[in-house]
Amino acid sequence: MGEERERVPYVLDFYPLQTEEDTRIHQFFQNLKEGRLTTTKCRACGEILWQPRVVCPHCNADEMDWIDLPKQGEIYAFTSVLLGAPKGMEDETPFVVGIVKLKGMDLKVLARVDGVRYDDLRIGQAVKLKVHALDDGRVWFRFQA
Ligand SMILES: [Zn+2]
């Protein structure tokens, strides 16, 4: 797309707008473009928040630090999307969506899992972070089996 990219209303688009003018968590997307999965940690109470937030739901503080999350994880649960895929993914069904437990943390992340068919995936299977680049310059995270 050109410079004046179409700005699809958020509700119609699975992928959030990601620039500094669009969102206060733009740093998340910048880090992701560098291959880093990151989130916010509350400076006041120390809670690690997922997904990244600008205000802590535990103590209402709004000073956050960005921390790197593990790029490795294991499948905690998974399913397959056969119908009703989000906009832009209609032609990619069937695909796998999983809950991934990040290595060494008590944090589980929901994401697409690429590189494996539903029938071949197993609970506990190792997966690694994959940055999915969209044609319009945005990014999102997935895991690769
Ligand atoms: Zn807090």
Side-chain angles (χ1 to χ4, degrees):
M1 289 194 195
E3 255 177 61
E4 294 191 20
R5 69 182 160 97
E6 183 182 351
R7 297 179 71 85
V8 179
Y10 179 80
V11 292
L12 298 180
D13 187 358
F14 176 81
Y15 301 104
L17 301 176
Q18 302 180 349
T19 67
E20 190 165 0
E21 67 191 32
D22 295 321
T23 174
R24 290 168 66 192
I25 61 158
H26 62 90
Q27 187 67 45
F28 173 81
F29 303 105
Q30 206 53 50
N31 294 341
L32 192 57
K33 284 178 184 174
E34 297 169 4
R36 299 162 55 207
L37 185 65
T38 56
T39 195
T40 50
K41 180 178 179 177
C42 177
R43 218 174 267 174
C45 75
E47 282 288 326
I48 293 172
L49 308 170
W50 180 260
Q51 297 186 21
R53 296 176 192 262
V54 296
V55 174
C56 178
H58 302 282
C59 74
N60 292 328
D62 62 357
E63 300 224 338
M64 302 287 160
D65 291 314
W66 286 94
I67 62 164
D68 281 83
L69 296 173
K71 297 178 183 178
Q72 311 287 332
E74 65 178 44
I75 296 293
Y76 178 82
F78 63 97
T79 189
S80 183
V81 176
L82 306 176
L83 292 168
K87 177 177 164 62
M89 298 183 196
E90 302 93 331
D91 298 334
E92 299 172 18
T93 56
F95 58 81
V96 176
V97 173
I99 298 174
V100 174
K101 183 184 180 307
L102 298 182
K103 188 172 188 173
M105 289 188 79
D106 187 24
L107 180 62
K108 300 179 190 80
V109 174
L110 178 69
R112 274 184 64 167
V113 181
D114 286 351
V116 67
R117 294 178 337 121
Y118 174 84
D119 289 342
D120 298 328
L121 193 57
R122 297 289 175 260
I123 300 293
Q125 189 165 330
V127 291
K128 64 181 182 202
L129 179 70
K130 174 185 177 184
V131 178
H132 177 70
L134 279 70
D135 291 341
D136 65 6
R138 290 180 294 168
V139 290
W140 195 244
F141 59 94
R142 295 183 179 182
F143 286 87
Q144 180 77 30

